[in-house]
Amino acid sequence: MSKSILLIVGFIVFIAIYYFLAPQFQYESPETHVASTVKSKAALKAFNLTDSNGRPFDQKSLRGNWTLIFFGYTRCPDICPRTLAILRETWQHYDKQNPAPVRFVFADISDTPVASSELKKFLENYNSSFIGINGPPEEMHKFSDQLGIYSQQQADRLDHTAALLLIDPHARLVAIFSPPFSDLDLIHDLQVLTH
């Protein structure tokens, strides 16, 4: 066989393999209203925090559940209460339909975190199923830095990222919800992304 025939046969085989196998490896982003999907990377690395019930919360705590996370602080005058109010509405809709497909975690990113009991009481104003987490700033930064969360203490307030982050049951970041969003947007996107 001549080299040109071998090249043609090889090219045809390559095209056939690509045509049948390539679709299996292509990632198609689901159609969401406000969420931007992130192609799954490695699982989050080690961090050690405490939840609002006084139990340890680390990267292993994220495994086995879909988790929606927001980084904020309990004395926030605007962004945090507004976001938590939208999440309260979101979870009320879920309670009427079926259980929420995810759990919600509020990460207290302040340099002087409140006590776990105070964090729990704060979140119960919005929904008793919401989980709070906090801990030493260096441990919180081990967690937040992996997710690209910005925070900077100003004179009278803490500037911080206002996005919601969706972590899959393998402890990988899969979507970012950037404001503005509504409870209906969140319900739609969470159902699309978690099913």
Side-chain angles (χ1 to χ4, degrees), residues 2-63:
S2 71
K3 287 185 180 180
S4 60
I5 293 176
L6 282 175
L7 284 173
I8 293 170
V9 169
F11 182 71
I12 292 170
V13 169
F14 172 77
I15 294 296
I17 290 171
Y18 178 81
Y19 179 77
F20 289 106
L21 292 181
Q24 297 176 27
F25 300 106
Q26 292 176 351
Y27 174 76
E28 287 190 32
S29 178
E31 290 189 33
T32 57
H33 290 179
V34 293
S36 299
T37 57
V38 177
K39 195 167 183 181
S40 296
K41 300 176 184 175
L44 294 172
K45 295 176 185 163
F47 60 89
N48 292 293
L49 299 167
T50 304
D51 74 14
S52 45
N53 292 309
R55 295 184 295 242
F57 190 96
D58 58 19
Q59 73 281 8
K60 294 175 196 153
S61 305
L62 294 169
R63 294 188 174 273

Side-chain angles (χ1 to χ4, degrees), residues 14-191:
F14 172 77
I15 294 296
I17 290 171
Y18 178 81
Y19 179 77
F20 289 106
L21 292 181
Q24 297 176 27
F25 300 106
Q26 292 176 351
Y27 174 76
E28 287 190 32
S29 178
E31 290 189 33
T32 57
H33 290 179
V34 293
S36 299
T37 57
V38 177
K39 195 167 183 181
S40 296
K41 300 176 184 175
L44 294 172
K45 295 176 185 163
F47 60 89
N48 292 293
L49 299 167
T50 304
D51 74 14
S52 45
N53 292 309
R55 295 184 295 242
F57 190 96
D58 58 19
Q59 73 281 8
K60 294 175 196 153
S61 305
L62 294 169
R63 294 188 174 273
N65 297 289
W66 286 95
T67 306
L68 187 65
I69 297 176
F70 182 76
F71 290 83
Y73 63 112
T74 58
R75 293 175 185 87
C76 179
D78 45 23
I79 294 169
C80 299
R82 188 169 40 243
T83 302
L84 287 166
I86 292 169
L87 289 163
R88 175 179 49 213
E89 295 298 316
T90 302
W91 257 251
Q92 284 175 350
H93 286 293
Y94 275 129
D95 289 344
K96 290 176 187 170
Q97 298 169 5
N98 53 354
V102 300
R103 63 186 176 159
F104 174 69
V105 171
F106 178 87
D108 182 355
I109 200 168
S110 61
D111 288 340
T112 53
V114 299
S116 294
S117 59
E118 189 178 335
L119 183 56
K120 182 174 184 169
K121 187 175 180 181
F122 169 77
L123 291 172
E124 284 176 346
N125 291 321
Y126 297 97
N127 188 300
S128 60
S129 71
F130 289 176
I131 301 165
I133 58 172
N134 60 13
E138 61 274 9
E139 288 298 321
M140 183 58 76
H141 284 293
K142 284 183 186 178
F143 181 37
S144 64
D145 289 353
Q146 295 181 68
L147 297 169
I149 298 300
Y150 162 82
S151 66
Q152 181 68 47
Q153 185 66 53
Q154 302 299 332
D156 60 343
R157 61 186 293 134
L158 177 66
D159 288 341
H160 61 90
T161 302
L164 292 162
L165 307 168
L166 183 62
I167 308 296
D168 76 5
H170 303 288
R172 300 174 301 197
L173 174 65
V174 295
I176 300 169
F177 298 77
S178 298
F181 41 68
S182 70
D183 56 330
L184 297 179
D185 289 329
L186 292 177
I187 290 167
H188 174 271
D189 288 2
L190 289 173
Q191 288 176 335

